[in-house]
Amino acid sequence: METASAQNGPARWTRGLLSCGLAAGPVFVTAFLIQGATREGYRPSRHPVSSLALGPRGWVQAANFAVTGTLVLAGAAGLWRARDAAGPADFAGPADFAGLADFAGPADFAGPSLSTRAGPALIGAAGAGIIGAAVFATDPVSGYPPGTPDALAAPTRTGVVHTLVAVPVFAGLPAAAFSYAWRSARTRRRGFALYSAATAATMLAGAALAGAGFDQSPRWVDRAGWLQRASILAGFGWLTALSARALRRGSAIQSL
C-alpha cells in the first residue's frame, strides 16, 4: 500500500501540472477576447493583445499575462515529468502495439533524450516570457491608447524589454512544436507530427506578418491584430492538445 501511495503521489502532481497547461490557453484567450470587445478605442483587428495592458484598466491584462505565464510554466513542468507526450513513453495499452505499427526500433524505448527535454524547456521559456510581459508593458502602437501616435519616434526601454520577452513566446512555442513534430514523426505518430509542424508554421507566419503590421506596413496594419491572434490561437490550441494528450496517455498507462 505504501508503495502504491508513493507512486500515486508524483503521478497526481504530474496530472495537476498538466492540467495547468490544459487551462492556460482557454484562460488567456477568453480574457483577452472579453477585454478587446469592451475596451474603448481598441480594435482587435488592428491592435496587439499586449496593448490591452495599457491604460486605466491595463492591470487586467497584466494579471492575465501573469496567470497565463504561471499556468504555462506549470504545464511545462508537467510535460517534463511526463517526459514526452508524443513519444513511446506514452504507451496507451496493447492497441499501441497492434501490428507493431508505431515501433521504430530499440531507440523508441530509450530514456529521456534531448528531443524529449527540448519541448518542455522551450514551453517553459515561453511561460517565463509571458510573465515578463506582465511586468514590462508594450509601447503604444497603431493609435492605442486613444490619443497616441501610430508609432513612437523611438521605443522606450520598457517597450524594448517587452519585445525581447515576447521572443520566447512567438519563437519558442514554434520551436517546441517543431521539436514534438520531429519526435512524433520519428515514432511514427504522423498525425500529431503534421499538426505540430503546421502549428509551428502558422505561429511563425502569423507573428511575422503581424509584426509588419505593427510596424505600420500599409498592407498589414489593419489586419495585424487578427494575424497575431491567429498565431496565438494556433500556439495555445496546440499546447492544450499536447497537455490533453499527455494526461490521457498517462491515465491509460496507470490503468494497465
Side-chain angles (χ1 to χ4, degrees):
M1 294 294 291
E2 286 186 346
T3 301
S5 178
Q7 291 176 343
N8 288 336
R12 282 196 296 269
W13 268 104
T14 301
R15 289 196 301 272
L17 292 168
L18 289 171
S19 295
C20 290
L22 190 73
V27 168
F28 185 59
V29 172
T30 299
F32 77 64
L33 286 178
I34 292 173
Q35 291 180 82
T38 58
R39 193 75 64 87
E40 183 178 356
Y42 184 87
R43 290 170 55 190
S45 63
R46 179 180 174 90
H47 299 126
V49 170
S50 292
S51 290
L52 290 166
L54 302 174
R57 289 191 288 164
W59 65 270
V60 178
Q61 180 56 31
N64 187 26
F65 278 138
V67 170
T68 300
T70 302
L71 290 172
V72 172
L73 274 174
L79 290 167
W80 183 278
R81 290 166 66 96
R83 290 306 182 189
D84 186 13
D90 305 315
F91 175 63
D96 267 7
F97 290 101
L100 297 179
D102 292 334
F103 180 61
D108 272 4
F109 297 98
S113 64
L114 179 61
S115 64
T116 65
R117 296 177 187 274
L122 288 164
I123 293 169
I130 296 169
I131 293 174
V135 179
F136 301 99
T138 189
D139 287 335
V141 67
S142 298
Y144 187 86
T148 59
D150 286 340
L152 299 182
T156 66
R157 291 182 180 179
T158 301
V160 169
V161 175
H162 179 90
T163 300
L164 291 175
V165 299
V167 171
V169 181
F170 290 102
L173 274 181
F178 274 129
S179 172
Y180 278 102
W182 181 87
R183 176 66 173 170
S184 297
R186 184 170 176 268
T187 55
R188 300 182 184 179
R189 268 93 172 164
R190 294 183 180 87
F192 196 74
L194 288 172
Y195 173 48
S196 297
T199 294
T202 300
M203 279 202 76
L204 291 172
L209 294 175
F214 299 142
D215 285 338
Q216 306 307 301
S217 166
R219 184 175 182 179
W220 303 110
V221 65
D222 287 327
R223 289 175 279 181
W226 291 138
L227 289 165
Q228 188 196 54
R229 282 160 176 76
S231 180
I232 290 171
L233 288 170
F236 276 98
W238 173 80
L239 179 59
T240 298
L242 180 67
S243 300
R245 185 182 180 90
L247 277 167
R248 184 174 64 252
R249 291 185 177 274
S251 297
I253 292 169
Q254 286 189 334
S255 66
L256 292 178

